[in-house]
Coordinates of all heavy atoms in Angstrom, one line a residue:
E1 N 0.8 -1.2 0.0 CA 0.0 0.0 0.0 C 0.9 1.3 0.0 O 1.0 1.9 -1.0 CB -0.9 0.0 1.2 CG -2.0 -1.1 1.2 CD -2.9 -1.0 2.3 OE1 -2.7 -0.2 3.3 OE2 -3.9 -1.8 2.4
G2 N 1.5 1.6 1.2 CA 2.4 2.7 1.2 C 1.7 4.0 1.5 O 2.3 5.1 1.4
W3 N 0.5 4.0 2.0 CA -0.2 5.3 2.5 C -0.4 5.2 4.0 O -0.7 4.1 4.5 CB -1.4 5.5 1.7 CG -2.5 4.5 1.7 CD1 -3.4 4.2 2.6 CD2 -2.7 3.5 0.6 NE1 -4.2 3.1 2.3 CE2 -3.8 2.7 1.0 CE3 -2.1 3.3 -0.6 CZ2 -4.3 1.7 0.2 CZ3 -2.6 2.2 -1.4 CH2 -3.7 1.5 -1.0
Y4 N -0.4 6.3 4.6 CA -0.6 6.4 6.1 C -0.7 7.9 6.5 O -0.5 8.8 5.6 CB 0.6 5.7 6.8 CG 2.0 6.4 6.5 CD1 2.5 7.3 7.3 CD2 2.7 5.9 5.3 CE1 3.8 7.9 7.0 CE2 3.9 6.5 5.0 CZ 4.5 7.5 5.8 OH 5.7 8.0 5.5
S5 N -0.9 8.1 7.7 CA -1.1 9.5 8.2 C -0.6 9.6 9.6 O -0.4 8.6 10.3 CB -2.5 10.0 8.1 OG -3.3 9.4 9.0
F6 N -0.3 10.9 10.0 CA 0.2 11.2 11.4 C 0.0 12.6 11.6 O -0.4 13.4 10.7 CB 1.7 10.7 11.5 CG 2.6 11.4 10.5 CD1 3.4 12.5 10.8 CD2 2.7 10.9 9.2 CE1 4.2 13.1 9.9 CE2 3.6 11.4 8.3 CZ 4.3 12.6 8.6
D7 N 0.3 13.1 12.8 CA 0.2 14.5 13.2 C 1.5 15.1 13.6 O 2.4 14.4 14.2 CB -0.8 14.7 14.3 CG -2.3 14.4 13.9 OD1 -2.6 14.6 12.8 OD2 -3.0 13.9 14.8
V8 N 1.8 16.3 13.2 CA 2.9 17.1 13.6 C 2.5 18.4 14.2 O 1.9 19.2 13.5 CB 3.9 17.3 12.4 CG1 5.1 18.2 12.9 CG2 4.4 16.0 11.8
G9 N 2.7 18.6 15.5 CA 2.1 19.8 16.1 C 0.6 19.8 16.0 O -0.1 18.8 16.3
T10 N 0.1 20.9 15.5 CA -1.3 21.0 15.3 C -1.8 20.6 13.9 O -3.0 20.7 13.6 CB -1.8 22.5 15.5 OG1 -1.1 23.4 14.6 CG2 -1.4 23.0 16.9
W11 N -0.9 20.2 13.1 CA -1.2 19.8 11.7 C -1.3 18.3 11.5 O -0.7 17.5 12.2 CB 0.0 20.3 10.8 CG 0.0 21.7 10.5 CD1 0.1 22.8 11.3 CD2 -0.1 22.3 9.1 NE1 0.1 24.0 10.7 CE2 -0.1 23.7 9.3 CE3 -0.2 21.8 7.9 CZ2 -0.1 24.6 8.2 CZ3 -0.3 22.6 6.8 CH2 -0.2 24.0 7.0
H12 N -2.2 17.9 10.5 CA -2.3 16.6 10.1 C -1.5 16.4 8.8 O -1.4 17.3 8.0 CB -3.8 16.3 9.8 CG -4.1 14.8 9.5 ND1 -3.8 13.8 10.5 CD2 -4.7 14.2 8.5 CE1 -4.1 12.7 10.0 NE2 -4.7 12.8 8.8
V13 N -0.8 15.2 8.7 CA 0.1 14.9 7.6 C -0.4 13.6 6.9 O -0.6 12.6 7.6 CB 1.5 14.9 8.0 CG1 2.4 14.7 6.8 CG2 1.9 16.1 8.8
V14 N -0.5 13.6 5.6 CA -1.0 12.4 4.9 C 0.1 12.0 3.9 O 0.5 12.8 3.0 CB -2.3 12.7 4.2 CG1 -2.8 11.5 3.4 CG2 -3.4 13.1 5.2
A15 N 0.5 10.8 3.9 CA 1.5 10.2 3.0 C 0.7 9.3 2.0 O -0.1 8.5 2.4 CB 2.5 9.4 3.7
L16 N 0.9 9.5 0.7 CA 0.2 8.8 -0.3 C 1.2 8.1 -1.3 O 2.3 8.5 -1.4 CB -0.7 9.8 -1.1 CG -1.7 10.5 -0.3 CD1 -2.4 11.6 -1.1 CD2 -2.7 9.6 0.3
N17 N 0.6 7.1 -2.0 CA 1.4 6.4 -3.0 C 0.9 6.7 -4.3 O -0.3 6.4 -4.7 CB 1.3 4.8 -2.7 CG 2.1 4.0 -3.7 OD1 2.6 4.5 -4.7 ND2 2.3 2.8 -3.3
S18 N 1.6 7.5 -5.1 CA 1.2 8.0 -6.4 C 1.5 7.1 -7.5 O 1.3 7.4 -8.7 CB 1.8 9.4 -6.7 OG 3.2 9.3 -6.7
N19 N 2.1 5.9 -7.2 CA 2.3 4.9 -8.2 C 1.0 4.1 -8.4 O 0.9 2.9 -7.9 CB 3.4 3.9 -7.8 CG 4.8 4.7 -7.7 OD1 5.5 4.9 -8.6 ND2 5.1 5.2 -6.5
C20 N 0.0 4.7 -9.0 CA -1.4 4.3 -8.9 C -1.6 2.9 -9.5 O -2.4 2.1 -8.9 CB -2.3 5.3 -9.5 SG -2.2 7.0 -8.7
A21 N -0.9 2.6 -10.6 CA -1.1 1.3 -11.2 C -0.7 0.2 -10.3 O -1.2 -1.0 -10.5 CB -0.4 1.3 -12.5
A22 N 0.2 0.4 -9.4 CA 0.7 -0.7 -8.5 C -0.2 -0.9 -7.3 O 0.0 -1.9 -6.6 CB 2.1 -0.3 -8.1
V23 N -1.2 0.0 -7.1 CA -2.0 -0.1 -5.8 C -3.5 -0.1 -6.1 O -4.2 0.4 -5.3 CB -1.6 0.9 -4.8 CG1 -0.2 0.7 -4.3 CG2 -1.7 2.3 -5.4
G24 N -3.9 -0.5 -7.3 CA -5.3 -0.6 -7.6 C -5.9 0.7 -8.0 O -7.1 0.9 -7.9
G25 N -5.1 1.7 -8.5 CA -5.6 2.9 -9.0 C -5.7 4.0 -7.9 O -5.6 3.7 -6.7
C26 N -6.0 5.2 -8.4 CA -6.1 6.3 -7.4 C -7.4 7.1 -7.6 O -7.6 8.1 -7.1 CB -5.0 7.3 -7.6 SG -3.3 6.7 -7.1
G27 N -8.3 6.5 -8.5 CA -9.5 7.2 -8.8 C -10.6 7.0 -7.7 O -10.4 6.3 -6.7
P28 N -11.7 7.6 -7.9 CA -12.8 7.5 -7.0 C -13.2 6.0 -6.7 O -13.3 5.3 -7.7 CB -14.0 8.2 -7.7 CG -13.3 9.2 -8.6 CD -12.1 8.5 -9.1
G29 N -13.3 5.7 -5.4 CA -13.6 4.3 -5.1 C -12.5 3.4 -5.0 O -12.6 2.2 -4.5
S30 N -11.3 3.8 -5.4 CA -10.1 3.0 -5.3 C -9.8 2.8 -3.8 O -10.2 3.6 -2.9 CB -8.9 3.5 -6.0 OG -8.5 4.8 -5.4
P31 N -9.0 1.8 -3.4 CA -8.7 1.6 -2.0 C -8.0 2.8 -1.4 O -8.4 3.2 -0.2 CB -7.8 0.3 -2.0 CG -8.2 -0.4 -3.2 CD -8.6 0.6 -4.2
Q32 N -7.1 3.4 -2.1 CA -6.4 4.5 -1.5 C -7.2 5.8 -1.4 O -7.2 6.5 -0.4 CB -5.1 4.8 -2.3 CG -4.3 6.0 -1.7 CD -2.9 6.2 -2.3 OE1 -2.0 6.7 -1.7 NE2 -2.8 5.7 -3.6
E33 N -8.0 6.1 -2.4 CA -8.9 7.2 -2.4 C -9.9 7.1 -1.4 O -10.3 8.1 -0.7 CB -9.5 7.4 -3.8 CG -10.2 8.8 -4.0 CD -11.7 8.7 -3.7 OE1 -12.2 7.6 -3.5 OE2 -12.4 9.7 -3.8
T34 N -10.5 5.9 -1.2 CA -11.5 5.7 -0.1 C -10.9 5.9 1.2 O -11.5 6.5 2.1 CB -12.0 4.3 -0.3 OG1 -12.6 4.1 -1.6 CG2 -13.1 4.0 0.8
W35 N -9.7 5.3 1.4 CA -9.0 5.5 2.7 C -8.7 7.0 3.0 O -8.9 7.5 4.1 CB -7.7 4.8 2.7 CG -6.8 5.1 3.9 CD1 -6.8 4.5 5.1 CD2 -5.8 6.1 4.0 NE1 -5.9 5.1 6.0 CE2 -5.3 6.1 5.3 CE3 -5.3 7.1 3.1 CZ2 -4.3 7.0 5.7 CZ3 -4.3 8.0 3.5 CH2 -3.8 7.9 4.8
L36 N -8.2 7.7 1.9 CA -7.9 9.1 2.1 C -9.0 10.0 2.5 O -8.9 10.8 3.4 CB -7.3 9.7 0.7 CG -7.0 11.2 0.7 CD1 -6.0 11.6 1.7 CD2 -6.5 11.5 -0.7
R37 N -10.2 9.8 1.9 CA -11.3 10.6 2.2 C -11.8 10.3 3.7 O -12.1 11.2 4.4 CB -12.5 10.3 1.3 CG -12.3 10.9 -0.1 CD -13.5 10.9 -1.0 NE -13.4 11.5 -2.2 CZ -13.6 12.8 -2.4 NH1 -13.9 13.6 -1.4 NH2 -13.4 13.4 -3.6
A38 N -11.7 9.0 4.1 CA -12.1 8.7 5.4 C -11.1 9.3 6.4 O -11.5 9.8 7.5 CB -12.1 7.2 5.6
D39 N -9.8 9.2 6.1 CA -8.8 9.8 7.0 C -8.9 11.3 7.2 O -8.9 11.8 8.3 CB -7.4 9.4 6.4 CG -6.3 10.0 7.3 OD1 -5.9 9.3 8.3 OD2 -5.8 11.1 7.0
L40 N -9.1 12.0 6.1 CA -9.3 13.4 6.2 C -10.6 13.8 6.9 O -10.6 14.8 7.7 CB -9.3 14.0 4.8 CG -8.0 13.9 4.0 CD1 -8.2 14.4 2.5 CD2 -6.9 14.7 4.7
A41 N -11.6 13.0 6.7 CA -12.9 13.3 7.5 C -12.7 13.1 9.0 O -13.4 13.8 9.8 CB -14.0 12.4 6.9
A42 N -11.9 12.1 9.3 CA -11.7 11.8 10.8 C -10.8 12.7 11.5 O -10.8 12.8 12.7 CB -11.2 10.4 10.9
S43 N -10.0 13.5 10.8 CA -9.0 14.4 11.4 C -9.7 15.7 11.9 O -10.5 16.3 11.2 CB -7.9 14.8 10.4 OG -7.1 15.8 10.9
S44 N -9.3 16.1 13.1 CA -9.8 17.3 13.7 C -8.9 18.5 13.5 O -9.2 19.6 13.9 CB -10.1 17.1 15.2 OG -8.9 16.8 15.9

């Protein structure tokens, strides 16, 4: 996969894998895009 997130100070930081063909794509509904939207929604 190669995507994850963490916080630095008051900021949220998101690491993504832009090698989209290797991870099931990056478009709407792909595993990474779905995770990304959920992660951003959960961050305060």
Side-chain angles (χ1 to χ4, degrees):
E1 292 182 356
W3 54 82
Y4 58 95
S5 67
F6 56 100
D7 292 329
V8 176
T10 61
W11 282 60
H12 190 55
V13 185
V14 180
L16 300 173
N17 186 343
S18 60
N19 298 274
C20 298
V23 292
C26 294
S30 65
Q32 182 171 203
E33 190 265 356
T34 300
W35 172 87
L36 174 59
R37 287 189 177 274
D39 179 85
L40 293 173
S43 172
S44 60

